[in-house]
């Protein structure tokens, strides 16, 4: 599959905080990801995360508002297909449309009710991350000092996700919770936007043991462009991003690598990688080191293969 598949951006959070912003039509300087930039960058799949900033309040209301914004401002653009099933993904590819998928980043707003995922599923959510950086009713995030695992409700949430065929995302999850999810999962899980801790020692990155666990289960690892997850100094270049790809390949993860930019969730950037159009520079760097077939896998093929295998069929 040619083109760019990006498994994580935070456009919806910015739209939630300022509904005057637009995703298509009049481009906004306040957004990294716009429809026009995705078209210029030959992006074929964009996952839009529902992440609720603390200032937006806690509860289901903000989640529903974000999903409404996805319908009104993302899906309203011509040539955008909402991806709910593997058939939708196949249709978007055949039509040359932008495939748009909804994910939930942190279940805080589900008000402690794992069964609420059923409603969000009906509204189109197809991937769920249990936490952001801190603790909630389901699990601890990576920045929670106690570094706990899953709660009873968190385990029930995994059961509901499994039943619905919602993809589970372990980015942001504390390490103990990561291993619990891996041990309980009946389907491969993903880390939508996490890098290699051996290259950049940040808690949000994954250890070699964690990376190898995802590789063994044929999960996915989304290389992210967050500078402080890329380089120890926080001053990152595209070559620094490529070092993470190289390391994961050395661990045997060539077919598990995908992209998870975190555009619109960051306020500083990898040099030369500030919006989707710049992803072409990353691809150029990949092509100097890897074959066209390998690069096609990193940029979209691996992500597409996972979705075709694990999205609901109808």
């Amino acid at each position: 599959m040619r083109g760019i598949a990006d498994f994580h951006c935070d456009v919806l959070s910015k739209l939630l905080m300022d509904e005057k912003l637009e995703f298509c039509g009049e481009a906004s300087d306040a957004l990294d990801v716009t429809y026009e930039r995705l078209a210029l960058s030959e992006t074929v799949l964009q996952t839009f995360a529902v992440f609720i900033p603390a200032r937006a309040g806690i509860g289901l209301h903000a989640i529903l508002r974000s999903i409404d914004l996805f319908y009104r401002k993302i899906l309203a653009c011509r040539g955008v297909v909402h991806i709910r099933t593997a058939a939708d993904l196949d249709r978007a590819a055949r039509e040359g449309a932008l495939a748009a998928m909804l994910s939930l980043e942190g279940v805080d707003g589900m008000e402690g009710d794992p069964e609420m995922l059923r409603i969000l599923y009906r509204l189109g959510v197809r991937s769920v991350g249990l936490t952001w950086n801190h603790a909630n009713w389901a699990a601890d995030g990576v920045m929670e000092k106690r570094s706990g695992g899953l709660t009873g409700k968190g385990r029930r949430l995994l059961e509901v996700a499994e039943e619905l065929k919602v993809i589970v995302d372990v980015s942001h999850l504390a390490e103990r919770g990561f291993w619990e999810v891996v041990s309980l999962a009946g389907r491969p899980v993903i880390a939508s936007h996490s890098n290699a801790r051996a290259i950049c020692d940040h808690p949000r990155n994954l250890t070699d043991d964690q990376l190898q666990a995802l590789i063994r289960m044929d999960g996915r690892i989304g290389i992210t462009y967050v500078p402080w997850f890329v380089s120890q100094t926080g001053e990152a270049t595209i070559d620094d991003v490529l070092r993470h790809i190289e390391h994961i390949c050395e661990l045997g993860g060539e077919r598990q690598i995908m992209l998870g930019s975190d555009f619109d969730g960051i306020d500083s950037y990898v040099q030369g990688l500030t919006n989707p159009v710049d992803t072409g520079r990353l691809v150029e760097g990949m092509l100097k080191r890897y074959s066209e077939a390998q690069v096609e896998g990193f940029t979209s093929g691996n992500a597409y293969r996972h979705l075709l295998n694990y999205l609901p069929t109808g």
Side-chain angles (χ1 to χ4, degrees):
M1 181 70 200
R2 294 186 179 276
I4 302 297
D6 179 3
F7 240 80
H8 190 88
C9 80
D10 282 304
V11 167
L12 293 177
S13 289
K14 286 188 174 177
L15 294 178
L16 181 66
M17 300 313 298
D18 184 358
E19 291 196 28
K20 294 191 296 296
L21 298 178
E22 295 296 339
F23 171 70
C24 59
E26 289 186 19
S28 170
D29 290 338
L31 292 180
D32 302 331
V33 177
T34 64
Y35 178 77
E36 290 76 17
R37 285 174 175 166
L38 292 177
L40 286 171
S41 64
E42 298 183 343
T43 295
V44 291
L45 168 75
Q46 181 66 63
T47 298
F48 294 86
V50 174
F51 171 70
I52 309 303
R55 63 188 183 278
I58 296 174
L60 192 61
H61 177 73
I63 292 177
L64 296 177
R65 280 187 60 211
S66 295
I67 294 175
D68 177 59
L69 287 164
F70 175 75
Y71 278 84
R72 287 194 291 117
K73 298 210 172 194
I74 308 299
L75 297 184
C77 297
R78 227 174 130 185
V80 178
V81 171
H82 185 185
I83 303 306
R84 296 171 179 259
T85 66
D88 292 334
L89 189 65
D90 184 61
R91 178 169 66 88
R94 283 187 283 103
E95 294 177 359
L98 172 66
M101 194 172 85
L102 261 180
S103 67
L104 179 62
E105 185 177 22
V107 300
D108 307 54
M110 287 171 55
E111 302 176 356
D113 184 357
E115 309 300 328
M116 195 65 68
L117 185 60
R118 299 182 190 283
I119 295 171
L120 300 181
Y121 173 84
R122 290 184 176 92
L123 294 174
V125 170
R126 289 298 180 267
S127 177
V128 60
L130 277 69
T131 65
W132 189 58
N133 285 336
H134 308 298
N136 62 21
W137 57 266
D140 279 8
V142 293
M143 305 308 289
E144 192 67 36
K145 289 183 179 180
R146 66 183 174 183
S147 299
L150 306 184
T151 65
K153 286 184 175 182
R155 293 187 191 94
R156 175 57 189 158
L157 179 67
L158 290 185
E159 293 174 355
V160 176
E162 194 105 353
E163 178 190 333
L164 296 172
K165 298 185 178 177
V166 171
I167 295 166
V168 174
D169 185 355
V170 296
S171 283
H172 287 287
L173 192 59
E175 190 166 349
R176 182 175 170 187
F178 172 96
W179 290 113
E180 286 189 62
V181 168
V182 167
S183 69
L184 293 169
R187 290 155 32 98
V189 303
I190 68 168
S192 63
H193 57 308
S194 296
N195 288 343
R197 200 179 300 181
I199 301 300
C200 178
D201 187 13
H202 190 287
R204 269 282 284 106
N205 287 337
L206 301 173
T207 66
D208 283 2
D209 285 345
Q210 289 176 296
L211 292 168
Q212 287 170 326
L214 292 175
I215 291 165
R216 283 194 299 271
M217 65 162 38
D218 196 27
R220 291 295 181 270
I221 303 147
I223 299 296
T224 190
Y225 316 152
V226 181
W228 48 97
F229 302 165
V230 173
S231 169
Q232 210 67 48
T233 66
E235 297 290 329
T237 66
I238 286 173
D239 281 343
D240 292 321
V241 177
L242 293 168
R243 290 174 63 213
H244 290 269
I245 293 173
E246 180 179 2
H247 183 75
I248 295 169
C249 284
E250 288 171 349
L251 295 175
E254 175 186 321
R255 289 174 61 81
Q256 285 73 43
I257 291 170
M258 61 181 188
L259 303 178
S261 70
D262 212 1
F263 282 140
D264 287 301
I266 50 179
D267 53 15
S268 64
Y269 302 87
V270 172
Q271 293 173 32
L273 195 51
T274 62
N275 66 59
V277 179
D278 293 341
T279 309
R281 296 190 179 116
L282 177 60
V283 174
E284 288 172 6
M286 291 179 188
L287 287 169
K288 291 176 182 176
R289 295 162 172 80
Y290 303 99
S291 70
E292 286 191 15
Q294 288 172 309
V295 172
E296 187 175 325
F298 302 155
T299 55
S300 60
N302 293 342
Y304 259 70
R305 193 171 68 253
H306 190 80
L307 291 176
L308 289 172
N309 286 336
Y310 294 107
L311 281 174
T313 54

